[in-house]
Amino acid sequence: MKRTVLLLAVAVALLGTPAAVAKDGSQTVAYLGCSITMDAVNGYTALGGDDLWQPTLEISNGSPERWRDPTSRHWAVFDAALALHRPPSAVWYEVCPQWRNPSLNVGTLEGWLRQSIALLRLRIDAPVYMSAPPDLDTGVRPRCRAERDQPRELWQQVIAPLLAAGTVLPGPDMPALFSSEKRDGCHGNSAGQAKWGQVLVAFFGT
């Protein structure tokens, strides 16, 4: 029995929250993403979390195509928040699908991610935890139109080389939502936001 407990403890140590995420209230976590990221951060805040930047950044439509553009309004929002907070100890980058653009290949999408990370590195030198988008188009209605064009599995394939190279670290694994947890095809209602918020609390702490 003791051996089993020891093995479980070792497994948690190896597979649990990365060591760079200090869950002691001493950190400030910046984030890149889109409206579903905003939903998750709102859920996190409602659960008492205050390590992620507050108030929630207005970064709707924040696909990698937008974040790779240095003139994007998303960087203006990010820079304004950066000026208000102490230097982040971590960054959460939730990759969001590009709506109505199904023809993009893996190489193009990976290039966009690398460009956006380069722009981030001009501002912040902290670990970047990258998450693929949650699966929002699995037949649970209403379905998310954006993920019909660029499903979660595609983004996992795009992110894989960055993880393998150590450019980014594995971020929180955001779960799919049931119909009762959605306010539309792509976004969470209060229950859906709480579900995502719980994942962020488990990963980053409060």
Side-chain angles (χ1 to χ4, degrees), residues 34 36 62-64 95-99 133 144 146-151 155:
C34 62
I36 59 174
S63 67
V95 178
C96 297
Q98 175 66 42
W99 190 34
C144 184
E147 283 204 5
R148 297 181 204 177
D149 294 341
Q150 295 175 8
W155 282 110

Side-chain angles (χ1 to χ4, degrees), residues 154-168:
L154 172 65
W155 282 110
Q156 290 174 323
Q157 182 181 357
V158 172
I159 292 170
L162 283 73
L163 292 171
T167 305
V168 298

Side-chain angles (χ1 to χ4, degrees), residues 178-204:
F178 296 109
S179 298
S180 61
E181 297 168 327
K182 291 183 176 184
R183 70 176 186 271
D184 58 32
C186 302
H187 301 95
N189 57 22
S190 58
Q193 291 180 15
K195 185 175 185 176
W196 286 339
Q198 288 168 359
V199 175
L200 295 183
V201 167
F203 193 90
F204 291 112

Side-chain angles (χ1 to χ4, degrees), residues 18-67:
V21 181
K23 296 161 64 169
D24 59 3
S26 65
Q27 67 175 350
T28 301
V29 181
Y31 48 91
L32 284 68
C34 62
S35 53
I36 59 174
T37 311
M38 295 167 60
D39 282 352
V41 174
N42 285 337
Y44 170 85
T45 304
L47 293 170
D50 62 4
D51 284 351
L52 274 73
W53 276 354
Q54 302 295 329
T56 302
L57 305 188
E58 211 308 304
I59 52 174
S60 55
N61 298 315
S63 67
E65 184 178 20
R66 304 291 175 84
W67 286 107

Side-chain angles (χ1 to χ4, degrees), residues 97-120:
Q98 175 66 42
W99 190 34
R100 295 177 178 173
N101 207 342
S103 62
L104 297 171
N105 59 44
V106 170
T108 297
L109 297 174
E110 182 184 339
W112 286 359
L113 288 182
R114 291 187 181 279
Q115 290 167 12
S116 60
I117 292 169
L119 291 174
L120 176 65

